[in-house]
């Protein structure tokens, strides 16, 4: 259970609660979800199993794992890419996560349910010279504390608490959303496919969401797999993690869209501002006659966002910390502190790019957008392709089979299918997503 919840915590993040509903809203609802589910199976699980194979076989951090398996060949740079992208993502992920902490504090104080200009509220906060930095530092402090406690005493123990708590909050919020006046329309949008809206862009967006939602090619899954015991069932773990991750994403839609459809004039394709601008307005208008319910709903929703952000940030942090720890031999607390401070320094630059440094551009992008583009649209897709080619072509096929079957003690009848997918299908699909993202 600890293995599954920790790995699921790595996958479950803001991409499930924020990006997934945004993509569903943009791309027509239920039809997008069906295509997304297909791609979780086609892309997500094979790549996740591949990362598990590398991590568990070597029982080492991501860089050392590929160095051991690839010796002096260029394949070893895949490990470097994994740790670097985790470091880069964590640097700007703490900024957005700091926003969730701010909104949780605001909702706890009873500030969100009152009438106000939520667009101005959001813009004023993110452009403030030091306030979002302070909240990002607060979020990083929480992440650092869990990682510095260790794998079993920190990550595994807190995953056993955070993930069930996250699922409980989701269940409560889904129940509340089903009681809203727009629940019927929201559920119809999510459950009744309209395949006339399916285009090439929708299919590619579903592929990309499946790839990013599962935290593939960030080094996190490989690092966590290095802590797996020899009897851990890799294929079953990948299946369970995919199920939990997908369930959280779809249930987040069950929370958000009934609320959105309950307020006239609010568009389902509100985009990235859905969580921080549109939803506070929805909460206010929906629960204007029931302020206590509005307070509870707001607090629980932003607590859900914070927990989702925290579980992913912990895995990103651990991916980098594990390398620093093993490469230098220093204590875990010292290694974690170095990672926290280094990421936070870059995080400050990302945060200031929304305010005082907003005019500073690199290739026409702000610092935050540059980090996001480099990590999510360049390194991660290329890294995902390399992982598939490495496990599919470079590693000994019998070794891969032994890892997945626990040296023949388990059955895995789909092994030939799995090998075919990671050799041919998945790299081609990821390449399509990569080109689409660059051109988009």
């Amino acid at each position: 259970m600890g293995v599954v919840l920790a790995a699921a915590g790595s996958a479950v993040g803001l991409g499930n609660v924020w990006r997934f509903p945004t993509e569903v809203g943009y791309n027509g609802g239920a039809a997008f979800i069906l295509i997304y589910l297909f791609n979780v199976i086609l892309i997500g699980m094979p790549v996740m199993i591949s990362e598990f194979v590398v991590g568990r076989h070597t029982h080492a951090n991501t860089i050392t794992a590929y160095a051991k398996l690839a010796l002096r060949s260029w394949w070893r740079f895949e490990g470097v890419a994994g740790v670097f992208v985790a470091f880069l993502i964590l640097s700007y992920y703490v900024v957005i996560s700091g926003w969730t902490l701010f909104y949780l504090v605001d909702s706890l104080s009873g500030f969100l349910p009152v009438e106000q200009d939520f667009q101005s509220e959001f813009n004023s906060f993110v452009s403030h010279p030091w306030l979002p930095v302070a909240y990002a530092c607060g979020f990083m402090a929480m992440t650092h504390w869990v990682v510095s406690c260790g794998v079993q005493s920190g990550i595994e123990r807190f995953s056993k608490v955070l993930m069930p708590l996250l699922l409980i909050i989701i269940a409560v919020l889904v129940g509340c959303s089903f009681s809203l006046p727009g629940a019927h329309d929201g559920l119809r949008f999510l459950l009744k496919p309209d395949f006339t809206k399916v285009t090439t862009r929708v299919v590619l967006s579903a592929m990309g969401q499946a790839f990013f939602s599962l935290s593939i090619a960030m080094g996190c899954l490989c690092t966590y797999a290095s802590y797996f015991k020899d009897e851990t069932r890799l294929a079953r773990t990948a299946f369970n993690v995919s199920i939990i991750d997908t369930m959280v994403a779809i249930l987040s839609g069950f929370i958000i869209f009934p609320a959105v459809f309950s307020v006239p004039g609010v568009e389902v394709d509100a985009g990235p501002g859905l969580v921080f601008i549109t939803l506070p307005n929805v909460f206010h208008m929906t629960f204007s006659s029931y302020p206590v319910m509005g307070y509870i709903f707001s607090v629980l929703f932003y607590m859900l966002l914070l927990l989702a952000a925290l579980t992913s940030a912990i895995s990103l942090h651990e991916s980098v910390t594990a390398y620093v720890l093993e490469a230098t031999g220093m204590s875990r607390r010292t290694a974690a502190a170095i990672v926290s401070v280094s990421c936070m320094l870059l995080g400050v630059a990302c945060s200031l790019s929304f305010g005082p440094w907003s005019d500073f551009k690199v290739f026409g992008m702000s610092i935050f957008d540059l980090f996001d583009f480099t990590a999510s649209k360049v390194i991660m897709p290329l890294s995902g392709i390399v992982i598939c080619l490495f496990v599919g072509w470079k590693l000994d096929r019998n070794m891969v089979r032994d890892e997945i079957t626990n040296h023949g003690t388990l059955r895995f009848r789909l092994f030939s299918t799995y090998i075919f997918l990671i050799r041919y299908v998945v790299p081609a699909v990821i390449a399509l997503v990569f080109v689409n993202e660059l051109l988009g």
Side-chain angles (χ1 to χ4, degrees), residues 1-23:
M1 182 60 71
V3 165
V4 172
L5 291 178
S10 172
V12 172
L14 290 177
N16 301 73
V17 187
W18 181 9
R19 190 171 189 246
F20 180 80
T22 299
E23 289 292 317

Side-chain angles (χ1 to χ4, degrees), residues 32-331:
F32 174 86
I33 294 177
L34 290 176
I35 298 170
Y36 168 80
L37 293 174
F38 177 76
N39 281 284
V40 167
I41 299 171
L42 180 71
I43 302 175
M45 287 185 60
V47 183
M48 187 180 295
I49 292 172
S50 300
E51 291 205 62
F52 284 171
V53 167
V54 173
R56 208 264 297 273
H57 182 76
T58 57
H59 290 292
N61 69 80
T62 306
I63 291 180
T64 303
Y66 282 92
K68 282 183 175 181
L69 294 173
L71 297 177
R72 297 183 179 181
S73 70
W74 67 272
W75 293 102
R76 71 185 188 279
F77 291 109
E78 167 58 27
V80 177
V83 172
F84 176 71
V85 79
F87 179 81
L88 200 62
I89 292 173
L90 183 60
S91 298
Y92 67 83
Y93 196 78
V94 294
V95 177
I96 306 174
S97 303
W99 299 351
T100 68
L101 180 58
F102 168 77
Y103 272 73
L104 175 60
V105 172
D106 246 13
S107 58
L108 282 168
S109 68
F111 190 50
L112 283 180
V114 301
E115 187 171 359
Q116 57 188 295
D117 184 348
F118 294 104
Q119 178 74 57
S120 299
E121 160 91 16
F122 177 75
N123 292 339
S124 175
F125 169 67
V126 299
S127 61
H128 195 279
W130 60 264
L131 192 58
V133 172
Y135 277 96
C137 288
F139 179 85
M140 178 62 86
M142 291 188 289
T143 306
H144 170 81
W145 179 59
V146 174
V147 173
S148 64
C149 287
V151 177
Q152 288 185 319
S153 300
I155 297 171
E156 185 174 345
R157 177 178 295 178
F158 283 95
S159 295
K160 289 180 179 179
V161 175
L162 294 179
M163 287 304 296
L165 180 59
L166 184 147
L167 295 175
I168 290 171
I169 292 174
I170 286 177
V172 173
L173 288 174
V174 168
C176 291
S177 285
F178 282 4
S179 67
L180 296 176
H184 176 75
D185 293 332
L187 292 177
R188 184 173 58 186
F189 178 75
L190 285 168
L191 299 177
K192 187 176 180 180
D194 182 2
F195 291 105
T196 62
K197 296 183 179 180
V198 175
T199 63
T200 303
R201 182 181 64 83
V202 171
V203 174
L204 291 175
S205 296
M207 291 179 184
Q209 177 62 25
F211 183 74
F212 297 121
S213 179
L214 295 170
S215 296
I216 291 169
M218 298 181 187
C220 308
L221 297 175
C222 181
T223 300
Y224 275 15
S226 70
Y227 306 133
F228 289 179
K229 295 180 180 179
D230 291 338
E231 62 268 24
T232 300
R233 299 185 174 192
L234 301 188
R236 176 178 291 183
T237 300
F239 176 77
N240 290 334
V241 169
S242 299
I243 288 293
I244 294 174
D245 181 79
T246 303
M247 180 178 67
V248 170
I250 293 176
L251 289 178
S252 296
F254 284 170
I255 295 169
I256 291 173
F257 289 108
V260 169
F261 275 94
S262 297
V263 178
V266 176
E267 299 296 330
V268 294
D269 57 349
L274 180 70
V275 169
F276 299 111
I277 300 172
T278 305
L279 283 183
N281 185 47
V282 168
F283 295 158
H284 163 67
M285 297 179 70
T286 304
F287 299 107
S288 57
S289 301
Y290 308 96
V292 175
M293 282 296 297
Y295 176 81
I296 294 173
F297 201 93
S298 298
V299 169
L300 289 179
F301 180 78
Y302 288 107
M303 186 178 292
L304 167 64
L305 272 183
L306 182 66
L307 292 178
L310 186 58
T311 55
S312 284
I314 289 169
S315 68
L316 290 166
H317 199 300
E318 176 60 21
S319 180
V320 186
T321 299
Y323 168 69
V324 176
L325 178 68
E326 294 178 29
T328 63
M330 60 179 59
S331 69

Side-chain angles (χ1 to χ4, degrees), residues 331-408:
S331 69
R332 170 170 280 273
R333 292 185 181 275
T334 303
I338 290 174
V339 174
S340 295
V341 172
S342 301
C343 283
M344 201 57 244
L345 289 175
L346 292 180
V348 169
C350 290
S351 181
L352 292 177
S353 68
F354 289 94
W357 293 2
S358 59
D359 293 332
F360 179 76
K361 305 291 183 181
V362 180
F363 302 116
M365 294 180 282
S366 67
I367 298 174
F368 183 97
D369 291 336
L370 177 65
F371 281 22
D372 181 40
F373 178 85
T374 303
S376 64
K377 294 192 176 183
V378 179
I379 301 178
M380 283 177 60
L382 293 178
S383 184
I385 293 172
V386 173
I387 289 170
C388 293
L389 297 179
F390 179 73
V391 176
W393 295 99
K394 173 66 176 177
L395 293 186
D396 181 80
R397 183 166 174 158
N398 291 326
M399 185 273 279
V400 176
R401 186 193 299 272
D402 285 344
E403 283 297 326
I404 296 177
T405 63
N406 288 1
H407 298 277

